[in-house]
Amino acid sequence: MKFPGFKILDRYITKKFLGTYIFAIILIIVIVVVFDAVEKIDDFIEMKAPLKAIAIDYYLNFIPFFINQFSGLFTFIAVIFFTSKMAYQSEITAILSSGVSFKRLMWPYFISAMAITLLSLSLNLYVIPAANTHRVEFERQYFKRNRNIRYDKHIYRQIYPGTFAYIRNFSGTTQKASYLAIEQYDGSTIVSSLEASDVQFNPETRRWTAPRYITRTFNDEAEHFQRFENLDTTINLDVVELGKVEDLIKTMSIGELSRFISQQKEKGSDMISIFEVERQNRFAYPAATFILTVIGLSLSSRKVRGGTGLHIGLGIGLCFSYIMFCKFAEEFAKGSSLSPALLVWTPDIIFAVIAVFLYRNAPK
């Protein structure tokens, strides 16, 4: 396949595309940062957060997330805004009338979309997880409501196939839990359990201790009960896994996340779908840049009554439909028995079909 060169027209369109995109992203980031600073100013003052820490540790690590969060939307808006303006001024008609095919016209759009996709991938796979680590650490130190890792009151985790741990009221500050139960199942039938109150976790030895504990064994519908003193045990469960897993996995690079998923699969974790959704999202969302670019170009390249406003209205409606569909697919994938990868990529597949349809009906 022979790729076209980069001509004056390509430079003109690329400059318009990326210039509009960058301007829109900068504008929304400034607005978001100002509103966020106003909302959190009381915490900053009360917790005596240094100005340098606010600017670098928090907001500098806050910006990559919002660039990526709004990337798809503003790619779409950028394409529609300047292409619709070109169409309204009859520039698109002139370009196509000069012998340039619609496919050739797409080349600078493709190059621009590739640059945005690579930026989004880099942010998603490496930059944002590292930035989240620093940002979360800042929030724990200077935000009163986030001084500790967030823990559910009732924590259930699978530590081996058929073996589950239940922990109640775990505190990251004291490393204590009011109750610990380790239950062994044969299929859906409980076989035995170990239960203890006032449990203490030692981060150095990674052992759980308690002054007293009991064991229960179940056989032929009979229960055998025994009491013991001085529990001292280890379980195949890192204390960081007790925190909200959605927070934990967002601080992992793609390599760390893949290794974590492999580890959890070996343990037989029942939360694999949540981890897999996070991994697939990091690729699916950037890939949508190309799809949204084709939809935006195909919609806005035709001169219609209503001009730019109509194009932008239709474009934003489609883009928000895509975002809502992505959120729905993501939440459904977390609790479904179907493949998380398939469900996460379903919005991209559907909108790719829409893109092909609109492309075929675009002015040639």
Side-chain angles (χ1 to χ4, degrees):
M1 178 180 177
K2 185 177 179 181
F3 292 99
F6 208 67
K7 304 184 184 299
I8 294 175
L9 175 63
D10 302 320
R11 289 196 294 271
Y12 174 74
I13 291 177
T14 302
K15 183 178 177 181
K16 288 277 189 180
F17 189 162
L18 296 180
T20 307
Y21 170 82
I22 291 170
F23 175 78
I25 286 290
I26 291 174
L27 182 64
I28 194 65
I29 286 174
V30 170
I31 294 172
V32 168
V33 167
V34 168
F35 275 92
D36 188 76
V38 170
E39 181 186 351
K40 296 182 172 67
I41 189 68
D42 290 339
D43 274 342
F44 293 153
I45 294 173
E46 186 173 345
M47 303 305 294
K48 298 180 180 178
L51 185 60
K52 182 179 178 182
I54 295 172
I56 297 176
D57 295 340
Y58 185 62
Y59 282 113
L60 193 61
N61 291 306
F62 183 76
I63 288 172
F65 169 77
F66 273 95
I67 291 176
N68 194 62
Q69 186 80 0
F70 293 108
S71 181
L73 175 62
F74 285 106
T75 296
F76 208 47
I77 289 176
V79 171
I80 287 180
F81 181 78
F82 82 85
T83 305
S84 179
K85 191 174 180 181
M86 288 173 64
Y88 189 69
Q89 295 172 346
S90 299
E91 292 180 66
I92 297 292
T93 303
I95 291 169
L96 296 176
S97 299
S98 68
V100 176
S101 67
F102 191 79
K103 184 183 293 185
R104 176 61 182 84
L105 178 64
M106 291 182 65
W107 175 244
Y109 287 87
F110 176 86
I111 294 296
S112 302
M114 174 66 78
I116 295 172
T117 299
L118 291 176
L119 170 65
S120 185
L121 271 174
S122 300
L123 292 176
N124 251 352
L125 301 184
Y126 303 105
V127 177
I128 292 175
N132 281 343
T133 302
H134 296 294
R135 182 173 56 82
V136 168
E137 185 59 36
F138 177 92
E139 290 176 352
R140 288 181 198 160
Q141 188 171 357
Y142 296 111
F143 289 179
K144 291 182 292 183
R145 61 185 179 277
N146 290 328
R147 298 303 297 275
N148 299 302
I149 298 175
R150 295 188 299 160
Y151 297 98
D152 289 323
K153 182 177 181 180
H154 304 281
I155 301 170
Y156 299 88
R157 297 289 186 270
Q158 182 164 296
I159 55 178
Y160 296 105
T163 303
F164 296 83
Y166 166 64
I167 299 171
R168 185 169 63 231
N169 295 328
F170 182 80
S171 168
T173 304
T174 62
Q175 300 287 294
K176 289 183 177 180
S178 64
Y179 180 76
L180 166 68
I182 302 174
E183 301 173 339
Q184 179 73 44
Y185 285 82
D186 182 7
S188 60
T189 305
I190 187 168
V191 176
S192 63
S193 70
L194 180 150
E195 303 169 28
S197 299
D198 301 320
V199 185
Q200 176 76 54
F201 176 73
N202 188 323
E204 295 181 1
T205 62
R206 305 173 73 83
R207 302 185 73 84
W208 297 79
T209 58
R212 290 171 297 278
Y213 68 100
I214 62 173
T215 62
R216 301 173 187 269
T217 57
F218 304 89
N219 186 19
D220 297 329
E221 300 183 357
E223 176 183 344
H224 302 279
F225 177 93
Q226 288 183 289
R227 292 181 180 272
F228 299 92
E229 293 187 354
N230 300 322
L231 173 69
D232 187 1
T233 186
T234 60
I235 58 177
N236 186 28
L237 184 67
D238 196 303
V239 71
V240 298
E241 297 178 51
L242 302 181
K244 292 205 176 265
V245 289
E246 289 85 353
D247 295 343
L248 174 65
I249 58 180
K250 289 185 184 301
T251 63
M252 297 179 179
S253 69
I254 189 62
E256 293 169 337
L257 179 59
S258 295
R259 288 190 292 272
F260 180 74
I261 291 174
S262 298
Q263 176 201 53
Q264 294 300 305
K265 284 181 178 178
E266 290 178 3
K267 292 169 66 171
S269 172
D270 56 355
M271 305 180 75
I272 297 298
S273 59
I274 295 175
F275 309 143
E276 193 61 45
V277 165
E278 173 68 20
R279 177 162 62 178
Q280 295 300 326
N281 262 335
R282 296 191 185 186
F283 294 97
Y285 189 67
T289 301
F290 290 101
I291 299 169
L292 296 175
T293 297
V294 173
I295 292 176
L297 173 59
S298 301
L299 273 177
S300 57
S301 57
R302 187 185 301 274
K303 187 175 181 179
V304 296
R305 185 177 298 175
T308 304
L310 178 61
H311 286 149
I312 290 178
L314 288 172
I316 290 178
L318 269 174
C319 192
F320 274 107
S321 298
Y322 170 77
I323 293 171
M324 290 178 61
F325 196 8
C326 283
K327 294 298 181 185
F328 173 79
E330 178 182 333
E331 293 303 316
F332 184 66
K334 290 178 181 178
S336 173
S337 59
L338 299 175
S339 167
L342 176 61
L343 291 172
V344 168
W345 282 91
T346 295
D348 281 28
I349 295 169
I350 292 175
F351 275 77
V353 172
I354 295 173
V356 170
F357 173 79
L358 291 174
Y359 167 75
R360 289 182 174 177
N361 288 275
K364 301 297 191 294

